[in-house]
């Protein structure tokens, strides 16, 4: 029987190891069917043997095997839910596996992921290859649960999102892309997952790619749970995006501006004039002093211009009463050093592209004669 075959390999792991790569993967697929359809026939007293069998497999050298290992572990987990758990109310309950040893195994599995690897660890080829294999298996495990709608159990793992964001910065693009897919699926299905603690940790990451992906993730998350955010949460998201407008890395600043523009679109009932004043204050900073001081001031000045850009681009089809003044403030910096000048030109070009169709019949009348002259002057400049 299938159960007898399973028990045979379980008690004779060397026999399993002698299988070909294809044989190992197919055997694990059989186990998935066994766990799914005959879980009640599996003796509970062999759970420790099951764990011992899988422990060395999470770092298997073959990717096809690692993928099946992750899926099989997720299937095993689903077969040992606590009977008291109400699966129909999955979004409101923390799912707990009805076996302390299995719980410990999953927690230990996750704890083997290095969240903030040092350059020395990454340069140790043998150690980092092993780490990459464990990361790969962990992602297969997470994606399997998420795709079947059981992602809530992952939130019970300590530092779950920190682990995924760390893996999203992996040098192996296949692993980093899979981690990003995993994060997107998790954020869509898990309300209240963007906590203040998580945002603060990720926004202070040493990797600018992690900080940038945090902003991209925030775009997806806020849109997916648009109607479920409290005032406190909305303030957290705005504060986070505004803070990263001043990131040392220009790529992060640009992504933060795009994210902020999306937040302005989604949350209309906010004090726009207050944002304009704060952004313009930064945009007016003079770039002087020593070279290091100039660099810092340029970043702060650029953050103000990017904030004004976010406001302008949040209105692709309309001209609210505050937008003409915002455009004029932005145009004052059309001759500033890059990346500021580049931002201004791009923003004004995008504004004109999205408004020119209805310019004469709808939008033009909302601008004063002086404001129209400024817009025309910028449009006709050689660098526009």
């Amino acid at each position: 029987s299938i159960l007898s075959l399973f028990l045979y390999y379980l008690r004779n792991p060397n026999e399993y190891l002698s299988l070909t790569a294809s044989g190992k993967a197919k055997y694990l697929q059989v186990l998935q069917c066994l766990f799914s359809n005959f879980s009640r026939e599996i003796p509970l007293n062999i759970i420790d043997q099951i764990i011992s069998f899988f422990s060395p497999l999470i770092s298997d050298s073959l990717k096809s095997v690692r993928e099946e290992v992750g899926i099989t572990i997720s299937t095993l987990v689903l077969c040992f839910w606590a009977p008291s758990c109400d699966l129909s109310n999955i979004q409101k309950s923390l799912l707990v596996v009805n076996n302390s040893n299995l719980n410990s195994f999953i927690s230990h599995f996750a704890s083997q992921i290095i969240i903030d690897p040092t350059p020395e660890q990454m340069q140790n080829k043998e150690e980092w290859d092993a780490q990459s294999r464990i990361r790969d298996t962990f992602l297969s495990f997470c994606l399997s649960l998420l795709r079947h709608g059981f992602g809530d159990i992952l939130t019970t793992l300590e530092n779950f999102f920190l682990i995924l964001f760390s893996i999203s910065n992996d040098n192996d693009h296949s692993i980093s892309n899979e981690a990003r897919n995993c994060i997107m699926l998790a954020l869509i299905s898990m309300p209240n997952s963007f906590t203040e603690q998580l945002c603060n940790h990720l926004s202070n990451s040493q990797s600018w790619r992690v900080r940038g992906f945090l902003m991209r993730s925030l775009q997806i998350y806020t849109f997916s749970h648009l109607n479920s955010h409290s005032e406190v949460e909305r303030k957290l998201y705005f504060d986070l995006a505004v803070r990263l407008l001043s990131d040392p890395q220009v790529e992060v600043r640009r992504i933060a501006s795009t994210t902020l523009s999306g937040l302005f679109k989604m949350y209309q009932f906010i004090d726009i004039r207050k944002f304009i004043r704060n952004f313009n204050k930064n945009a007016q900073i003079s770039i002087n002093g020593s070279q290091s001081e100039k660099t810092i001031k340029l970043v702060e000045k650029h953050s103000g211009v990017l904030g004004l850009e976010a406001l302008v681009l949040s209105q692709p089809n309309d001209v609210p009463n505050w937008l003409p003044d915002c455009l004029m403030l932005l145009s004052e910096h059309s001759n500033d050093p890059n990346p500021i000048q580049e931002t201004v030109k791009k923003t004004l070009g995008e504004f004109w592209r999205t408004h020119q169709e209805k310019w004469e019949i709808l939008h033009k009348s909302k601008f004063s004669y002086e404001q129209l002259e400024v817009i025309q002057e910028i449009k006709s400049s050689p660098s526009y």
Side-chain angles (χ1 to χ4, degrees), residues 24 31 40 49 118 123 128 145 151 179 216 221 288 356:
K24 289 178 181 178
L31 283 191
R40 293 184 181 180
Q49 289 179 266
T118 64
Q123 288 167 8
W128 193 250
L145 287 175
R216 294 192 190 281
Y221 176 73
N288 51 33
Q356 63 179 335

Side-chain angles (χ1 to χ4, degrees), residues 80-337:
F80 287 92
W81 289 134
S84 60
C85 185
D86 179 9
L87 293 184
S88 65
N89 199 20
I90 187 171
Q91 295 296 343
K92 297 183 179 178
S93 60
L94 286 178
L95 305 183
V96 181
V97 178
N98 187 26
N99 186 283
S100 59
N101 289 342
L102 185 54
N103 265 324
S104 298
F105 170 66
I106 301 301
S107 297
H108 177 65
F109 181 17
S111 70
Q112 293 184 65
I113 308 292
I114 302 173
I115 294 179
D116 293 312
T118 64
E120 291 75 19
Q121 287 173 315
M122 296 178 71
Q123 288 167 8
N124 185 324
K125 188 177 187 308
E126 184 177 348
E127 180 180 335
W128 193 250
D129 283 348
Q131 173 67 198
S132 294
R133 293 195 293 271
I134 294 172
R135 288 177 166 211
D136 202 21
T137 308
F138 182 75
L139 289 175
S140 177
F141 165 73
C142 293
L143 282 169
S144 178
L145 287 175
L146 287 164
R147 285 168 178 163
H148 288 87
F150 288 89
D152 270 27
I153 190 175
L154 298 172
T155 62
T156 67
L157 294 175
E158 187 177 2
N159 298 326
F160 166 63
F161 274 107
L162 294 183
I163 291 172
L164 287 185
F165 272 95
S166 174
I167 301 176
S168 74
N169 191 42
D170 199 285
N171 290 331
D172 185 325
H173 292 304
S174 65
I175 291 179
S176 62
N177 288 337
E178 204 161 87
R180 294 179 182 191
N181 291 336
C182 201
I183 290 170
M184 292 307 179
L185 282 172
L187 292 177
I188 290 171
S189 61
M190 297 179 187
N192 307 317
S193 51
F194 252 96
T195 63
E196 183 174 3
Q197 181 182 6
L198 175 67
C199 289
N200 287 336
H201 184 97
L202 294 175
S203 63
N204 291 316
S205 170
Q206 293 183 352
S207 168
W208 70 264
R209 289 183 174 83
V210 169
R211 300 194 302 272
F213 190 63
L214 168 63
M215 287 288 93
R216 294 192 190 281
S217 302
L218 187 59
Q219 295 171 26
I220 302 294
Y221 176 73
T222 50
F223 185 77
S224 300
H225 306 289
L226 181 59
N227 298 318
S228 63
H229 301 141
S230 67
E231 288 297 323
V232 173
E233 289 172 322
R234 292 177 188 179
K235 184 177 184 305
L236 170 65
Y237 307 146
F238 272 104
D239 289 348
L240 179 63
V242 170
R243 175 149 52 93
L244 288 182
L245 288 177
S246 301
D247 194 272
Q249 192 76 22
V250 66
E251 290 89 346
V252 177
R253 298 201 295 272
R254 288 169 175 157
I255 301 171
S257 178
T258 301
T259 302
L260 189 59
S261 184
L263 292 175
F264 285 132
K265 288 178 187 175
M266 287 186 281
Y267 305 120
Q268 298 288 332
F269 303 104
I270 54 176
D271 188 355
I272 292 291
R273 294 287 182 182
K274 180 181 178 181
F275 278 98
I276 292 176
R277 288 194 298 272
N278 291 338
F279 292 147
N280 188 48
K281 181 179 178 181
N282 278 0
Q284 297 300 325
I285 291 175
S286 298
I287 304 174
N288 51 33
S290 64
Q291 188 57 47
S292 60
E293 289 174 334
K294 286 180 179 178
T295 301
I296 293 172
K297 289 179 178 179
L298 178 63
V299 169
E300 284 302 308
K301 190 179 184 73
H302 191 212
S303 75
V305 172
L306 285 169
L308 295 174
E309 174 196 47
L311 284 165
V312 170
L313 298 186
S314 71
Q315 302 293 327
N317 303 307
D318 195 15
V319 178
N321 57 13
W322 52 262
L323 197 145
D325 290 338
C326 191
L327 271 178
M328 293 305 102
L329 293 174
L330 198 60
S331 67
E332 293 176 6
H333 305 283
S334 59
N335 294 315
D336 284 359

Side-chain angles (χ1 to χ4, degrees), residues 331-351:
S331 67
E332 293 176 6
H333 305 283
S334 59
N335 294 315
D336 284 359
N338 276 324
I340 295 174
Q341 183 182 113
E342 179 185 336
T343 298
V344 173
K345 302 296 184 184
K346 179 178 75 71
T347 306
L348 293 174
E350 183 64 16
F351 168 79

